[in-house]
Amino acid sequence: VQLQASGGGLVQAGDSLRLSCAASGRTFSRYGMGWFRRAPGKEREFVAGIGWSGGSTDYSDSAKGRFTISRDNAKNTVYLQMNSLKPEDTAVYYCAASKYPFVTRSEYDYWGQGTLVTVSS
């Protein structure tokens, strides 16, 4: 599976942004998908995950209530809708695919190249 993340950019605090991650291959619907981020000087952290059908999702505490993960299996794409962005959301955001088809925070096998989100105050 090859993953291509896009949609990052420079926004102001309070703005919204939607990230997309396009996946290659015909087995996309079998994978659990997730979004992670790495802020400057920090470790990579889990942001959101979604199961193969889209029926189950999981969020980090920082993302809960502001971010929404979704997927379109017909388009081989997973999305991360980010609302009410804060300067502390500034990071490189990565999408990832897991052979485990359900929601997971740690069992990821494939990673995209990342897209930079910068939130100014």
Side-chain angles (χ1 to χ4, degrees), residues 73-112:
N73 287 341
K75 295 182 179 180
N76 280 15
T77 302
V78 62
Y79 305 97
L80 184 67
Q81 176 68 44
M82 304 187 293
N83 298 330
S84 303
L85 283 162
K86 305 174 182 179
E88 50 264 43
D89 294 318
T90 294
V92 177
Y93 284 72
Y94 300 89
C95 62
S98 172
K99 293 179 182 179
Y100 182 69
F102 305 105
V103 176
T104 178
R105 292 194 174 200
S106 60
E107 302 295 324
Y108 287 90
D109 304 286
Y110 306 98
W111 295 84

PDB file of all heavy atoms in Angstrom, residues 73-112:
ATOM      1  N   ASN A  73     -14.207   4.287   0.950  1.00  0.00           N
ATOM      2  CA  ASN A  73     -13.549   3.109   0.394  1.00  0.00           C
ATOM      3  C   ASN A  73     -13.658   3.043  -1.123  1.00  0.00           C
ATOM      4  O   ASN A  73     -12.809   2.452  -1.781  1.00  0.00           O
ATOM      5  CB  ASN A  73     -14.121   1.848   1.028  1.00  0.00           C
ATOM      6  CG  ASN A  73     -13.662   1.668   2.469  1.00  0.00           C
ATOM      7  OD1 ASN A  73     -12.663   2.255   2.893  1.00  0.00           O
ATOM      8  ND2 ASN A  73     -14.408   0.878   3.231  1.00  0.00           N
ATOM      9  N   ALA A  74     -14.678   3.660  -1.683  1.00  0.00           N
ATOM     10  CA  ALA A  74     -14.814   3.684  -3.141  1.00  0.00           C
ATOM     11  C   ALA A  74     -13.732   4.550  -3.784  1.00  0.00           C
ATOM     12  O   ALA A  74     -13.361   4.337  -4.936  1.00  0.00           O
ATOM     13  CB  ALA A  74     -16.190   4.188  -3.537  1.00  0.00           C
ATOM     14  N   LYS A  75     -13.231   5.514  -3.018  1.00  0.00           N
ATOM     15  CA  LYS A  75     -12.188   6.419  -3.529  1.00  0.00           C
ATOM     16  C   LYS A  75     -10.815   6.109  -2.948  1.00  0.00           C
ATOM     17  O   LYS A  75      -9.862   6.847  -3.204  1.00  0.00           O
ATOM     18  CB  LYS A  75     -12.556   7.870  -3.218  1.00  0.00           C
ATOM     19  CG  LYS A  75     -13.807   8.362  -3.938  1.00  0.00           C
ATOM     20  CD  LYS A  75     -14.074   9.823  -3.623  1.00  0.00           C
ATOM     21  CE  LYS A  75     -15.309  10.315  -4.371  1.00  0.00           C
ATOM     22  NZ  LYS A  75     -15.594  11.742  -4.092  1.00  0.00           N
ATOM     23  N   ASN A  76     -10.731   5.061  -2.129  1.00  0.00           N
ATOM     24  CA  ASN A  76      -9.448   4.699  -1.504  1.00  0.00           C
ATOM     25  C   ASN A  76      -8.839   5.885  -0.758  1.00  0.00           C
ATOM     26  O   ASN A  76      -7.621   6.136  -0.857  1.00  0.00           O
ATOM     27  CB  ASN A  76      -8.447   4.190  -2.550  1.00  0.00           C
ATOM     28  CG  ASN A  76      -8.689   2.747  -2.942  1.00  0.00           C
ATOM     29  OD1 ASN A  76      -9.744   2.195  -2.671  1.00  0.00           O
ATOM     30  ND2 ASN A  76      -7.714   2.143  -3.600  1.00  0.00           N
ATOM     31  N   THR A  77      -9.664   6.596  -0.041  1.00  0.00           N
ATOM     32  CA  THR A  77      -9.203   7.821   0.599  1.00  0.00           C
ATOM     33  C   THR A  77      -9.706   7.910   2.034  1.00  0.00           C
ATOM     34  O   THR A  77     -10.855   7.552   2.319  1.00  0.00           O
ATOM     35  CB  THR A  77      -9.678   9.058  -0.193  1.00  0.00           C
ATOM     36  OG1 THR A  77      -9.197   8.974  -1.535  1.00  0.00           O
ATOM     37  CG2 THR A  77      -9.142  10.343   0.433  1.00  0.00           C
ATOM     38  N   VAL A  78      -8.834   8.388   2.900  1.00  0.00           N
ATOM     39  CA  VAL A  78      -9.210   8.688   4.281  1.00  0.00           C
ATOM     40  C   VAL A  78      -9.002  10.183   4.504  1.00  0.00           C
ATOM     41  O   VAL A  78      -8.084  10.786   3.927  1.00  0.00           O
ATOM     42  CB  VAL A  78      -8.394   7.844   5.281  1.00  0.00           C
ATOM     43  CG1 VAL A  78      -6.910   8.130   5.183  1.00  0.00           C
ATOM     44  CG2 VAL A  78      -8.899   8.040   6.696  1.00  0.00           C
ATOM     45  N   TYR A  79      -9.861  10.763   5.310  1.00  0.00           N
ATOM     46  CA  TYR A  79      -9.839  12.202   5.542  1.00  0.00           C
ATOM     47  C   TYR A  79      -9.666  12.508   7.026  1.00  0.00           C
ATOM     48  O   TYR A  79     -10.014  11.699   7.888  1.00  0.00           O
ATOM     49  CB  TYR A  79     -11.153  12.831   5.067  1.00  0.00           C
ATOM     50  CG  TYR A  79     -11.504  12.547   3.638  1.00  0.00           C
ATOM     51  CD1 TYR A  79     -12.388  11.516   3.321  1.00  0.00           C
ATOM     52  CD2 TYR A  79     -10.957  13.296   2.611  1.00  0.00           C
ATOM     53  CE1 TYR A  79     -12.714  11.236   2.008  1.00  0.00           C
ATOM     54  CE2 TYR A  79     -11.284  13.025   1.284  1.00  0.00           C
ATOM     55  CZ  TYR A  79     -12.162  11.999   0.991  1.00  0.00           C
ATOM     56  OH  TYR A  79     -12.480  11.738  -0.321  1.00  0.00           O
ATOM     57  N   LEU A  80      -9.150  13.696   7.278  1.00  0.00           N
ATOM     58  CA  LEU A  80      -9.128  14.217   8.638  1.00  0.00           C
ATOM     59  C   LEU A  80      -9.624  15.658   8.573  1.00  0.00           C
ATOM     60  O   LEU A  80      -8.915  16.536   8.075  1.00  0.00           O
ATOM     61  CB  LEU A  80      -7.733  14.165   9.250  1.00  0.00           C
ATOM     62  CG  LEU A  80      -7.665  14.598  10.707  1.00  0.00           C
ATOM     63  CD1 LEU A  80      -8.402  13.593  11.598  1.00  0.00           C
ATOM     64  CD2 LEU A  80      -6.222  14.750  11.183  1.00  0.00           C
ATOM     65  N   GLN A  81     -10.830  15.866   9.033  1.00  0.00           N
ATOM     66  CA  GLN A  81     -11.388  17.204   9.114  1.00  0.00           C
ATOM     67  C   GLN A  81     -10.977  17.816  10.447  1.00  0.00           C
ATOM     68  O   GLN A  81     -11.267  17.252  11.506  1.00  0.00           O
ATOM     69  CB  GLN A  81     -12.912  17.170   9.012  1.00  0.00           C
ATOM     70  CG  GLN A  81     -13.588  18.522   9.179  1.00  0.00           C
ATOM     71  CD  GLN A  81     -13.290  19.466   8.023  1.00  0.00           C
ATOM     72  OE1 GLN A  81     -13.323  19.072   6.861  1.00  0.00           O
ATOM     73  NE2 GLN A  81     -12.997  20.719   8.347  1.00  0.00           N
ATOM     74  N   MET A  82     -10.296  18.933  10.388  1.00  0.00           N
ATOM     75  CA  MET A  82      -9.785  19.586  11.599  1.00  0.00           C
ATOM     76  C   MET A  82     -10.440  20.951  11.741  1.00  0.00           C
ATOM     77  O   MET A  82     -10.297  21.802  10.858  1.00  0.00           O
ATOM     78  CB  MET A  82      -8.263  19.731  11.513  1.00  0.00           C
ATOM     79  CG  MET A  82      -7.550  18.405  11.274  1.00  0.00           C
ATOM     80  SD  MET A  82      -5.752  18.538  11.363  1.00  0.00           S
ATOM     81  CE  MET A  82      -5.433  19.552   9.923  1.00  0.00           C
ATOM     82  N   ASN A  83     -11.156  21.124  12.815  1.00  0.00           N
ATOM     83  CA  ASN A  83     -11.825  22.391  13.101  1.00  0.00           C
ATOM     84  C   ASN A  83     -11.221  23.042  14.340  1.00  0.00           C
ATOM     85  O   ASN A  83     -10.534  22.387  15.125  1.00  0.00           O
ATOM     86  CB  ASN A  83     -13.319  22.149  13.318  1.00  0.00           C
ATOM     87  CG  ASN A  83     -14.012  21.575  12.101  1.00  0.00           C
ATOM     88  OD1 ASN A  83     -13.616  21.834  10.957  1.00  0.00           O
ATOM     89  ND2 ASN A  83     -15.055  20.795  12.331  1.00  0.00           N
ATOM     90  N   SER A  84     -11.485  24.311  14.489  1.00  0.00           N
ATOM     91  CA  SER A  84     -11.015  25.058  15.664  1.00  0.00           C
ATOM     92  C   SER A  84      -9.528  24.818  15.912  1.00  0.00           C
ATOM     93  O   SER A  84      -9.109  24.501  17.034  1.00  0.00           O
ATOM     94  CB  SER A  84     -11.822  24.662  16.904  1.00  0.00           C
ATOM     95  OG  SER A  84     -13.196  24.882  16.694  1.00  0.00           O
ATOM     96  N   LEU A  85      -8.758  24.970  14.886  1.00  0.00           N
ATOM     97  CA  LEU A  85      -7.329  24.683  14.986  1.00  0.00           C
ATOM     98  C   LEU A  85      -6.633  25.625  15.952  1.00  0.00           C
ATOM     99  O   LEU A  85      -6.988  26.816  16.065  1.00  0.00           O
ATOM    100  CB  LEU A  85      -6.682  24.739  13.606  1.00  0.00           C
ATOM    101  CG  LEU A  85      -6.948  23.498  12.731  1.00  0.00           C
ATOM    102  CD1 LEU A  85      -6.678  23.801  11.272  1.00  0.00           C
ATOM    103  CD2 LEU A  85      -6.107  22.349  13.216  1.00  0.00           C
ATOM    104  N   LYS A  86      -5.624  25.092  16.621  1.00  0.00           N
ATOM    105  CA  LYS A  86      -4.848  25.826  17.604  1.00  0.00           C
ATOM    106  C   LYS A  86      -3.377  25.823  17.192  1.00  0.00           C
ATOM    107  O   LYS A  86      -2.934  24.913  16.473  1.00  0.00           O
ATOM    108  CB  LYS A  86      -4.977  25.167  18.974  1.00  0.00           C
ATOM    109  CG  LYS A  86      -6.401  24.978  19.454  1.00  0.00           C
ATOM    110  CD  LYS A  86      -6.423  24.190  20.767  1.00  0.00           C
ATOM    111  CE  LYS A  86      -7.857  23.955  21.244  1.00  0.00           C
ATOM    112  NZ  LYS A  86      -7.884  23.169  22.505  1.00  0.00           N
ATOM    113  N   PRO A  87      -2.617  26.794  17.655  1.00  0.00           N
ATOM    114  CA  PRO A  87      -1.178  26.793  17.322  1.00  0.00           C
ATOM    115  C   PRO A  87      -0.491  25.481  17.718  1.00  0.00           C
ATOM    116  O   PRO A  87       0.434  25.036  17.013  1.00  0.00           O
ATOM    117  CB  PRO A  87      -0.641  27.976  18.125  1.00  0.00           C
ATOM    118  CG  PRO A  87      -1.800  28.915  18.191  1.00  0.00           C
ATOM    119  CD  PRO A  87      -3.000  28.022  18.350  1.00  0.00           C
ATOM    120  N   GLU A  88      -0.938  24.844  18.792  1.00  0.00           N
ATOM    121  CA  GLU A  88      -0.317  23.588  19.216  1.00  0.00           C
ATOM    122  C   GLU A  88      -0.661  22.413  18.301  1.00  0.00           C
ATOM    123  O   GLU A  88      -0.127  21.314  18.483  1.00  0.00           O
ATOM    124  CB  GLU A  88      -0.702  23.251  20.667  1.00  0.00           C
ATOM    125  CG  GLU A  88      -2.188  23.314  20.954  1.00  0.00           C
ATOM    126  CD  GLU A  88      -2.610  24.657  21.553  1.00  0.00           C
ATOM    127  OE1 GLU A  88      -2.133  25.716  21.063  1.00  0.00           O
ATOM    128  OE2 GLU A  88      -3.424  24.645  22.499  1.00  0.00           O
ATOM    129  N   ASP A  89      -1.530  22.621  17.328  1.00  0.00           N
ATOM    130  CA  ASP A  89      -1.791  21.596  16.319  1.00  0.00           C
ATOM    131  C   ASP A  89      -0.754  21.628  15.199  1.00  0.00           C
ATOM    132  O   ASP A  89      -0.763  20.754  14.325  1.00  0.00           O
ATOM    133  CB  ASP A  89      -3.185  21.784  15.709  1.00  0.00           C
ATOM    134  CG  ASP A  89      -4.306  21.553  16.699  1.00  0.00           C
ATOM    135  OD1 ASP A  89      -4.211  20.595  17.491  1.00  0.00           O
ATOM    136  OD2 ASP A  89      -5.271  22.348  16.684  1.00  0.00           O
ATOM    137  N   THR A  90       0.125  22.596  15.227  1.00  0.00           N
ATOM    138  CA  THR A  90       1.174  22.689  14.219  1.00  0.00           C
ATOM    139  C   THR A  90       2.050  21.446  14.255  1.00  0.00           C
ATOM    140  O   THR A  90       2.591  21.088  15.300  1.00  0.00           O
ATOM    141  CB  THR A  90       2.034  23.939  14.450  1.00  0.00           C
ATOM    142  OG1 THR A  90       1.213  25.105  14.238  1.00  0.00           O
ATOM    143  CG2 THR A  90       3.222  23.975  13.511  1.00  0.00           C
ATOM    144  N   ALA A  91       2.149  20.782  13.106  1.00  0.00           N
ATOM    145  CA  ALA A  91       2.891  19.517  13.033  1.00  0.00           C
ATOM    146  C   ALA A  91       2.893  19.024  11.591  1.00  0.00           C
ATOM    147  O   ALA A  91       2.140  19.528  10.745  1.00  0.00           O
ATOM    148  CB  ALA A  91       2.257  18.467  13.927  1.00  0.00           C
ATOM    149  N   VAL A  92       3.723  18.035  11.362  1.00  0.00           N
ATOM    150  CA  VAL A  92       3.609  17.252  10.131  1.00  0.00           C
ATOM    151  C   VAL A  92       2.637  16.120  10.421  1.00  0.00           C
ATOM    152  O   VAL A  92       2.817  15.386  11.399  1.00  0.00           O
ATOM    153  CB  VAL A  92       4.970  16.694   9.677  1.00  0.00           C
ATOM    154  CG1 VAL A  92       4.794  15.820   8.444  1.00  0.00           C
ATOM    155  CG2 VAL A  92       5.940  17.830   9.404  1.00  0.00           C
ATOM    156  N   TYR A  93       1.628  16.002   9.586  1.00  0.00           N
ATOM    157  CA  TYR A  93       0.595  14.992   9.764  1.00  0.00           C
ATOM    158  C   TYR A  93       0.828  13.843   8.787  1.00  0.00           C
ATOM    159  O   TYR A  93       1.042  14.068   7.583  1.00  0.00           O
ATOM    160  CB  TYR A  93      -0.784  15.608   9.545  1.00  0.00           C
ATOM    161  CG  TYR A  93      -1.235  16.441  10.713  1.00  0.00           C
ATOM    162  CD1 TYR A  93      -0.656  17.687  10.975  1.00  0.00           C
ATOM    163  CD2 TYR A  93      -2.223  15.991  11.583  1.00  0.00           C
ATOM    164  CE1 TYR A  93      -1.053  18.450  12.062  1.00  0.00           C
ATOM    165  CE2 TYR A  93      -2.628  16.744  12.674  1.00  0.00           C
ATOM    166  CZ  TYR A  93      -2.038  17.967  12.903  1.00  0.00           C
ATOM    167  OH  TYR A  93      -2.431  18.720  13.989  1.00  0.00           O
ATOM    168  N   TYR A  94       0.768  12.641   9.318  1.00  0.00           N
ATOM    169  CA  TYR A  94       1.009  11.440   8.550  1.00  0.00           C
ATOM    170  C   TYR A  94      -0.234  10.561   8.562  1.00  0.00           C
ATOM    171  O   TYR A  94      -0.864  10.389   9.601  1.00  0.00           O
ATOM    172  CB  TYR A  94       2.163  10.637   9.139  1.00  0.00           C
ATOM    173  CG  TYR A  94       3.475  11.367   9.187  1.00  0.00           C
ATOM    174  CD1 TYR A  94       3.820  12.143  10.294  1.00  0.00           C
ATOM    175  CD2 TYR A  94       4.396  11.259   8.148  1.00  0.00           C
ATOM    176  CE1 TYR A  94       5.030  12.820  10.351  1.00  0.00           C
ATOM    177  CE2 TYR A  94       5.616  11.918   8.203  1.00  0.00           C
ATOM    178  CZ  TYR A  94       5.927  12.695   9.299  1.00  0.00           C
ATOM    179  OH  TYR A  94       7.123  13.350   9.354  1.00  0.00           O
ATOM    180  N   CYS A  95      -0.531   9.965   7.420  1.00  0.00           N
ATOM    181  CA  CYS A  95      -1.549   8.933   7.424  1.00  0.00           C
ATOM    182  C   CYS A  95      -0.843   7.578   7.419  1.00  0.00           C
ATOM    183  O   CYS A  95       0.303   7.460   6.986  1.00  0.00           O
ATOM    184  CB  CYS A  95      -2.490   9.062   6.237  1.00  0.00           C
ATOM    185  SG  CYS A  95      -1.730   8.904   4.623  1.00  0.00           S
ATOM    186  N   ALA A  96      -1.536   6.585   7.921  1.00  0.00           N
ATOM    187  CA  ALA A  96      -0.959   5.254   8.049  1.00  0.00           C
ATOM    188  C   ALA A  96      -2.040   4.207   7.840  1.00  0.00           C
ATOM    189  O   ALA A  96      -3.216   4.457   8.112  1.00  0.00           O
ATOM    190  CB  ALA A  96      -0.318   5.089   9.416  1.00  0.00           C
ATOM    191  N   ALA A  97      -1.611   3.042   7.374  1.00  0.00           N
ATOM    192  CA  ALA A  97      -2.517   1.929   7.131  1.00  0.00           C
ATOM    193  C   ALA A  97      -2.090   0.729   7.962  1.00  0.00           C
ATOM    194  O   ALA A  97      -0.901   0.435   8.075  1.00  0.00           O
ATOM    195  CB  ALA A  97      -2.526   1.559   5.650  1.00  0.00           C
ATOM    196  N   SER A  98      -3.087   0.062   8.517  1.00  0.00           N
ATOM    197  CA  SER A  98      -2.834  -1.110   9.347  1.00  0.00           C
ATOM    198  C   SER A  98      -3.475  -2.338   8.724  1.00  0.00           C
ATOM    199  O   SER A  98      -4.626  -2.295   8.298  1.00  0.00           O
ATOM    200  CB  SER A  98      -3.422  -0.885  10.735  1.00  0.00           C
ATOM    201  OG  SER A  98      -3.362  -2.066  11.497  1.00  0.00           O
ATOM    202  N   LYS A  99      -2.725  -3.439   8.725  1.00  0.00           N
ATOM    203  CA  LYS A  99      -3.294  -4.698   8.241  1.00  0.00           C
ATOM    204  C   LYS A  99      -4.395  -5.185   9.182  1.00  0.00           C
ATOM    205  O   LYS A  99      -5.233  -5.997   8.800  1.00  0.00           O
ATOM    206  CB  LYS A  99      -2.193  -5.748   8.106  1.00  0.00           C
ATOM    207  CG  LYS A  99      -1.172  -5.439   7.032  1.00  0.00           C
ATOM    208  CD  LYS A  99      -0.086  -6.517   6.971  1.00  0.00           C
ATOM    209  CE  LYS A  99       0.968  -6.185   5.934  1.00  0.00           C
ATOM    210  NZ  LYS A  99       2.041  -7.213   5.892  1.00  0.00           N
ATOM    211  N   TYR A 100      -4.353  -4.704  10.407  1.00  0.00           N
ATOM    212  CA  TYR A 100      -5.421  -4.976  11.363  1.00  0.00           C
ATOM    213  C   TYR A 100      -6.614  -4.123  10.942  1.00  0.00           C
ATOM    214  O   TYR A 100      -6.502  -2.901  10.920  1.00  0.00           O
ATOM    215  CB  TYR A 100      -4.949  -4.638  12.762  1.00  0.00           C
ATOM    216  CG  TYR A 100      -5.931  -4.918  13.857  1.00  0.00           C
ATOM    217  CD1 TYR A 100      -6.258  -6.213  14.198  1.00  0.00           C
ATOM    218  CD2 TYR A 100      -6.524  -3.881  14.570  1.00  0.00           C
ATOM    219  CE1 TYR A 100      -7.157  -6.480  15.219  1.00  0.00           C
ATOM    220  CE2 TYR A 100      -7.419  -4.121  15.586  1.00  0.00           C
ATOM    221  CZ  TYR A 100      -7.732  -5.430  15.907  1.00  0.00           C
ATOM    222  OH  TYR A 100      -8.617  -5.691  16.923  1.00  0.00           O
ATOM    223  N   PRO A 101      -7.739  -4.698  10.589  1.00  0.00           N
ATOM    224  CA  PRO A 101      -8.822  -3.926   9.965  1.00  0.00           C
ATOM    225  C   PRO A 101      -9.648  -3.049  10.907  1.00  0.00           C
ATOM    226  O   PRO A 101     -10.464  -2.247  10.440  1.00  0.00           O
ATOM    227  CB  PRO A 101      -9.699  -5.018   9.347  1.00  0.00           C
ATOM    228  CG  PRO A 101      -9.477  -6.211  10.204  1.00  0.00           C
ATOM    229  CD  PRO A 101      -8.018  -6.140  10.619  1.00  0.00           C
ATOM    230  N   PHE A 102      -9.394  -3.204  12.191  1.00  0.00           N
ATOM    231  CA  PHE A 102     -10.191  -2.431  13.143  1.00  0.00           C
ATOM    232  C   PHE A 102      -9.388  -1.243  13.669  1.00  0.00           C
ATOM    233  O   PHE A 102      -8.233  -1.060  13.331  1.00  0.00           O
ATOM    234  CB  PHE A 102     -10.640  -3.349  14.274  1.00  0.00           C
ATOM    235  CG  PHE A 102     -11.386  -4.557  13.777  1.00  0.00           C
ATOM    236  CD1 PHE A 102     -10.777  -5.808  13.749  1.00  0.00           C
ATOM    237  CD2 PHE A 102     -12.685  -4.448  13.303  1.00  0.00           C
ATOM    238  CE1 PHE A 102     -11.453  -6.917  13.260  1.00  0.00           C
ATOM    239  CE2 PHE A 102     -13.369  -5.544  12.814  1.00  0.00           C
ATOM    240  CZ  PHE A 102     -12.753  -6.780  12.794  1.00  0.00           C
ATOM    241  N   VAL A 103     -10.021  -0.463  14.494  1.00  0.00           N
ATOM    242  CA  VAL A 103      -9.363   0.737  15.021  1.00  0.00           C
ATOM    243  C   VAL A 103      -8.179   0.326  15.904  1.00  0.00           C
ATOM    244  O   VAL A 103      -8.296  -0.544  16.743  1.00  0.00           O
ATOM    245  CB  VAL A 103     -10.354   1.575  15.839  1.00  0.00           C
ATOM    246  CG1 VAL A 103      -9.639   2.763  16.464  1.00  0.00           C
ATOM    247  CG2 VAL A 103     -11.490   2.058  14.948  1.00  0.00           C
ATOM    248  N   THR A 104      -7.070   0.961  15.682  1.00  0.00           N
ATOM    249  CA  THR A 104      -5.894   0.692  16.489  1.00  0.00           C
ATOM    250  C   THR A 104      -5.076   1.964  16.636  1.00  0.00           C
ATOM    251  O   THR A 104      -5.109   2.826  15.763  1.00  0.00           O
ATOM    252  CB  THR A 104      -5.029  -0.423  15.875  1.00  0.00           C
ATOM    253  OG1 THR A 104      -3.871  -0.616  16.676  1.00  0.00           O
ATOM    254  CG2 THR A 104      -4.603  -0.061  14.459  1.00  0.00           C
ATOM    255  N   ARG A 105      -4.336   2.056  17.712  1.00  0.00           N
ATOM    256  CA  ARG A 105      -3.459   3.208  17.925  1.00  0.00           C
ATOM    257  C   ARG A 105      -2.012   2.885  17.628  1.00  0.00           C
ATOM    258  O   ARG A 105      -1.167   3.779  17.567  1.00  0.00           O
ATOM    259  CB  ARG A 105      -3.582   3.708  19.368  1.00  0.00           C
ATOM    260  CG  ARG A 105      -4.926   4.326  19.702  1.00  0.00           C
ATOM    261  CD  ARG A 105      -4.879   5.085  21.004  1.00  0.00           C
ATOM    262  NE  ARG A 105      -6.129   5.800  21.265  1.00  0.00           N
ATOM    263  CZ  ARG A 105      -6.254   6.820  22.096  1.00  0.00           C
ATOM    264  NH1 ARG A 105      -5.202   7.231  22.782  1.00  0.00           N
ATOM    265  NH2 ARG A 105      -7.433   7.418  22.271  1.00  0.00           N
ATOM    266  N   SER A 106      -1.692   1.625  17.429  1.00  0.00           N
ATOM    267  CA  SER A 106      -0.272   1.322  17.345  1.00  0.00           C
ATOM    268  C   SER A 106       0.139   0.333  16.257  1.00  0.00           C
ATOM    269  O   SER A 106       1.291   0.315  15.880  1.00  0.00           O
ATOM    270  CB  SER A 106       0.198   0.762  18.688  1.00  0.00           C
ATOM    271  OG  SER A 106      -0.533  -0.416  18.994  1.00  0.00           O
ATOM    272  N   GLU A 107      -0.769  -0.443  15.715  1.00  0.00           N
ATOM    273  CA  GLU A 107      -0.379  -1.502  14.788  1.00  0.00           C
ATOM    274  C   GLU A 107      -0.471  -1.041  13.335  1.00  0.00           C
ATOM    275  O   GLU A 107      -1.350  -1.434  12.593  1.00  0.00           O
ATOM    276  CB  GLU A 107      -1.288  -2.729  15.000  1.00  0.00           C
ATOM    277  CG  GLU A 107      -1.261  -3.291  16.404  1.00  0.00           C
ATOM    278  CD  GLU A 107       0.107  -3.838  16.748  1.00  0.00           C
ATOM    279  OE1 GLU A 107       0.770  -4.392  15.873  1.00  0.00           O
ATOM    280  OE2 GLU A 107       0.507  -3.706  17.925  1.00  0.00           O
ATOM    281  N   TYR A 108       0.457  -0.188  12.940  1.00  0.00           N
ATOM    282  CA  TYR A 108       0.439   0.344  11.582  1.00  0.00           C
ATOM    283  C   TYR A 108       1.620  -0.147  10.774  1.00  0.00           C
ATOM    284  O   TYR A 108       2.735  -0.224  11.260  1.00  0.00           O
ATOM    285  CB  TYR A 108       0.394   1.875  11.608  1.00  0.00           C
ATOM    286  CG  TYR A 108      -0.974   2.360  12.028  1.00  0.00           C
ATOM    287  CD1 TYR A 108      -1.275   2.572  13.369  1.00  0.00           C
ATOM    288  CD2 TYR A 108      -1.976   2.544  11.083  1.00  0.00           C
ATOM    289  CE1 TYR A 108      -2.548   2.974  13.752  1.00  0.00           C
ATOM    290  CE2 TYR A 108      -3.249   2.942  11.461  1.00  0.00           C
ATOM    291  CZ  TYR A 108      -3.527   3.151  12.791  1.00  0.00           C
ATOM    292  OH  TYR A 108      -4.783   3.538  13.168  1.00  0.00           O
ATOM    293  N   ASP A 109       1.342  -0.498   9.526  1.00  0.00           N
ATOM    294  CA  ASP A 109       2.329  -1.143   8.674  1.00  0.00           C
ATOM    295  C   ASP A 109       2.845  -0.260   7.537  1.00  0.00           C
ATOM    296  O   ASP A 109       3.944  -0.484   7.027  1.00  0.00           O
ATOM    297  CB  ASP A 109       1.708  -2.406   8.055  1.00  0.00           C
ATOM    298  CG  ASP A 109       1.183  -3.352   9.126  1.00  0.00           C
ATOM    299  OD1 ASP A 109       2.022  -4.007   9.781  1.00  0.00           O
ATOM    300  OD2 ASP A 109      -0.053  -3.421   9.329  1.00  0.00           O
ATOM    301  N   TYR A 110       2.052   0.687   7.103  1.00  0.00           N
ATOM    302  CA  TYR A 110       2.424   1.542   5.971  1.00  0.00           C
ATOM    303  C   TYR A 110       2.193   2.993   6.347  1.00  0.00           C
ATOM    304  O   TYR A 110       1.221   3.329   7.013  1.00  0.00           O
ATOM    305  CB  TYR A 110       1.580   1.183   4.738  1.00  0.00           C
ATOM    306  CG  TYR A 110       1.631  -0.272   4.357  1.00  0.00           C
ATOM    307  CD1 TYR A 110       0.630  -1.150   4.754  1.00  0.00           C
ATOM    308  CD2 TYR A 110       2.704  -0.783   3.629  1.00  0.00           C
ATOM    309  CE1 TYR A 110       0.673  -2.488   4.427  1.00  0.00           C
ATOM    310  CE2 TYR A 110       2.765  -2.123   3.291  1.00  0.00           C
ATOM    311  CZ  TYR A 110       1.745  -2.969   3.692  1.00  0.00           C
ATOM    312  OH  TYR A 110       1.807  -4.294   3.360  1.00  0.00           O
ATOM    313  N   TRP A 111       3.118   3.847   5.852  1.00  0.00           N
ATOM    314  CA  TRP A 111       3.070   5.267   6.211  1.00  0.00           C
ATOM    315  C   TRP A 111       3.183   6.137   4.974  1.00  0.00           C
ATOM    316  O   TRP A 111       3.923   5.818   4.044  1.00  0.00           O
ATOM    317  CB  TRP A 111       4.223   5.589   7.156  1.00  0.00           C
ATOM    318  CG  TRP A 111       4.091   4.882   8.469  1.00  0.00           C
ATOM    319  CD1 TRP A 111       4.481   3.609   8.756  1.00  0.00           C
ATOM    320  CD2 TRP A 111       3.486   5.400   9.669  1.00  0.00           C
ATOM    321  NE1 TRP A 111       4.158   3.297  10.063  1.00  0.00           N
ATOM    322  CE2 TRP A 111       3.553   4.381  10.641  1.00  0.00           C
ATOM    323  CE3 TRP A 111       2.897   6.616   9.994  1.00  0.00           C
ATOM    324  CZ2 TRP A 111       3.058   4.550  11.931  1.00  0.00           C
ATOM    325  CZ3 TRP A 111       2.402   6.794  11.276  1.00  0.00           C
ATOM    326  CH2 TRP A 111       2.485   5.771  12.236  1.00  0.00           C
ATOM    327  N   GLY A 112       2.455   7.241   4.996  1.00  0.00           N
ATOM    328  CA  GLY A 112       2.576   8.245   3.951  1.00  0.00           C
ATOM    329  C   GLY A 112       3.719   9.182   4.253  1.00  0.00           C
ATOM    330  O   GLY A 112       4.377   9.084   5.302  1.00  0.00           O
TER     331      GLY A 112
END
